[in-house]
Amino acid sequence: MELKRVVVTGLGALTPIGNDVDTAWENAVNGVSGAGPITHFDSSKFKTQFACELKDFDPSKHFDRKKARTLDLYAMYALVAANQAIEDAGLENEDINKDRVGVIFAAGIGGLHTFEEEAGYFAVNGAEQGPKYNPFFIPKMIADIAAGHISIDHGFRGPNFATVSACASSNNALIDAFNYIRLGMADAIVAGGAEAAIFPAGVGGFNSMKALSTRNDDPKGASRPFSGSRDGFVIGEGAGALVLEELEHALARGAHIYAEVAGGGLSADAYHITATHPEGLGARLVMENALKDAGMKPEDIDYINLHGTSTPVGDRSEAAAIKQVFGDHAYKMNLSSTKSMTGHLLGAAGAIEALFSIKAINDGIVPPTINHEEGDNDPDVDYDLNFTFNKAQKREINTVLSNTFGFGGHNASIIFKKYKG
């Protein structure tokens, strides 16, 4: 069968550097860090006391009290970003067959705050009072509920589920949506991811693994991918949403087209539950698979939005894999990690980075990898690659590959290209 072409017609973002797509993108291009002291809880006894939190997010501006009682924070983030993307794409038109509009929305963890609150209450009061759980406990906590809420709110009755693959989760959601549409199983799908894990269990859990930066004296400079002094990632929160749509369906309704989805790749490291393969084998394979799926050669890629979390092992293996896949062309591309500004949004990371990849194509500019200081080099990273350190660079961008790698060895890469009719 002939595969359908898939395009992006709507964007939505709720990030530590902006609560809408345009603001987040402007701050990314200008190298603005979203990091600061944690305000969600008292972190004074934690090894890490900072994070990339949302700024000025007020649930009451988006949800009435009755609705808010049924939502974990991560689902609130998902709904706000999805509503932006749906409005941007004009998908509320009643002439659209909503039986063929789906929602595939990711979370790496899901309702962690709800679980922490309910389990904590039982631990303190359960022995004396017995189990008194909130009736919304389970439907607030589960990782698929954001997709459910989006479909209920908008009446979208097409494919509906969540993808959970740690930090690769929302790239998996985008690739699944791409595949359902190109196989003719849906006309449009709202896809993306959300995460809200900046709470004691999230920060304490990652601290115990020694995964987070502890640069408490310099939060804004803590996320420094590919620099020699990097000491872990900075946890972030928020959501990203994209409307993926079959090309002819989008053209028929006069939708604005941001970019075309060219292909996606998946792989596993099959190595370790948290560490990436030291030689980048899984990272190499996933990029090769994405290129093959897109029918592209390595030299077709202009820019890679890196996974680049600022962890010592992960950054090293990704840089090594890029050289293996792209050879001499690796020196002609721009590379950058926007996590240096947003922090690591875990299950929402791929969606936010997909948005930035598409904006890079549209505006002809590569956002920077901030916080690199002259001479702060890792002896195991080759700095002859262009990591777009500290300052955005203008260039013509026709294709972008965006990488995400998750705990468990899950890898997902997606390629976007300029729409040319």
Side-chain angles (χ1 to χ4, degrees), residues 323 326-332:
K323 284 204 163 187
F326 291 92
D328 290 341
H329 184 67
Y331 305 101
K332 301 176 183 178

Side-chain angles (χ1 to χ4, degrees), residues 219-410:
K220 291 188 181 300
S223 184
R224 45 182 58 220
F226 302 96
S227 290
S229 60
R230 66 191 186 278
D231 68 329
F233 73 82
V234 178
I235 191 170
E237 64 175 354
L242 291 79
V243 173
L244 274 60
E245 190 167 354
E246 192 271 322
L247 174 61
E248 296 304 321
H249 188 269
L251 292 175
R253 64 185 194 86
H256 173 73
I257 295 174
Y258 286 97
E260 184 169 356
V261 186
L266 306 172
S267 78
D269 276 14
Y271 172 72
H272 190 272
I273 58 172
T274 57
T276 57
H277 193 285
E279 297 173 12
L281 295 185
R284 172 185 59 77
L285 181 60
V286 75
M287 289 187 281
E288 290 175 344
N289 287 343
L291 288 167
K292 182 178 180 180
D293 187 52
M296 289 183 172
K297 299 176 181 178
E299 52 266 31
D300 293 325
I301 303 298
D302 300 309
Y303 164 48
I304 299 178
N305 189 299
L306 300 161
H307 183 60
T309 60
S310 191
T311 58
V313 175
D315 289 3
R316 230 174 260 152
S317 61
E318 185 173 14
I322 287 167
K323 284 204 163 187
Q324 293 170 36
V325 174
F326 291 92
D328 290 341
H329 184 67
Y331 305 101
K332 301 176 183 178
M333 298 185 297
N334 277 77
L335 318 172
S336 75
S337 172
T338 49
K339 288 186 181 74
S340 59
M341 296 166 286
T342 65
H344 190 354
L345 274 72
L346 310 176
I352 295 298
E353 289 151 20
L355 296 172
F356 290 156
S357 298
I358 290 166
K359 293 294 285 184
I361 290 171
N362 289 179
D363 292 356
I365 190 164
V366 177
T369 305
I370 66 169
N371 295 325
H372 183 73
E373 300 170 5
E374 187 175 351
D376 183 15
N377 294 341
D378 180 339
D380 294 315
V381 173
D382 291 325
Y383 289 89
D384 47 5
L385 298 176
N386 183 1
F387 290 102
T388 320
F389 282 133
N390 298 324
K391 186 176 180 180
Q393 294 180 13
K394 293 183 177 180
R395 66 171 290 170
E396 182 178 1
I397 303 171
N398 290 300
T399 56
V400 179
L401 183 149
S402 183
N403 283 335
T404 54
F405 313 137
F407 284 175
H410 314 299

Side-chain angles (χ1 to χ4, degrees), residues 210-229:
K210 299 182 180 180
L212 295 182
S213 171
T214 57
R215 194 181 286 261
N216 293 313
D217 58 341
D218 181 25
K220 291 188 181 300
S223 184
R224 45 182 58 220
F226 302 96
S227 290
S229 60

Side-chain angles (χ1 to χ4, degrees), residues 136-280:
F136 293 114
F137 171 36
I138 298 300
K140 284 176 69 175
M141 177 195 71
I142 51 180
D144 69 297
I145 205 66
H149 277 292
I150 295 165
S151 70
I152 291 166
D153 284 2
H154 297 278
F156 297 152
R157 295 179 292 271
N160 186 277
F161 58 91
T163 53
V164 181
S165 50
C167 309
S169 297
S170 50
N171 253 10
N172 274 119
L174 294 171
I175 292 168
D176 277 3
F178 169 57
N179 284 328
Y180 273 94
I181 295 169
R182 68 173 170 173
L183 289 170
M185 300 172 70
D187 294 330
I189 294 178
V190 182
E195 207 76 88
I198 306 175
F199 294 101
V203 175
F206 282 119
N207 266 158
S208 69
M209 298 169 58
K210 299 182 180 180
L212 295 182
S213 171
T214 57
R215 194 181 286 261
N216 293 313
D217 58 341
D218 181 25
K220 291 188 181 300
S223 184
R224 45 182 58 220
F226 302 96
S227 290
S229 60
R230 66 191 186 278
D231 68 329
F233 73 82
V234 178
I235 191 170
E237 64 175 354
L242 291 79
V243 173
L244 274 60
E245 190 167 354
E246 192 271 322
L247 174 61
E248 296 304 321
H249 188 269
L251 292 175
R253 64 185 194 86
H256 173 73
I257 295 174
Y258 286 97
E260 184 169 356
V261 186
L266 306 172
S267 78
D269 276 14
Y271 172 72
H272 190 272
I273 58 172
T274 57
T276 57
H277 193 285
E279 297 173 12

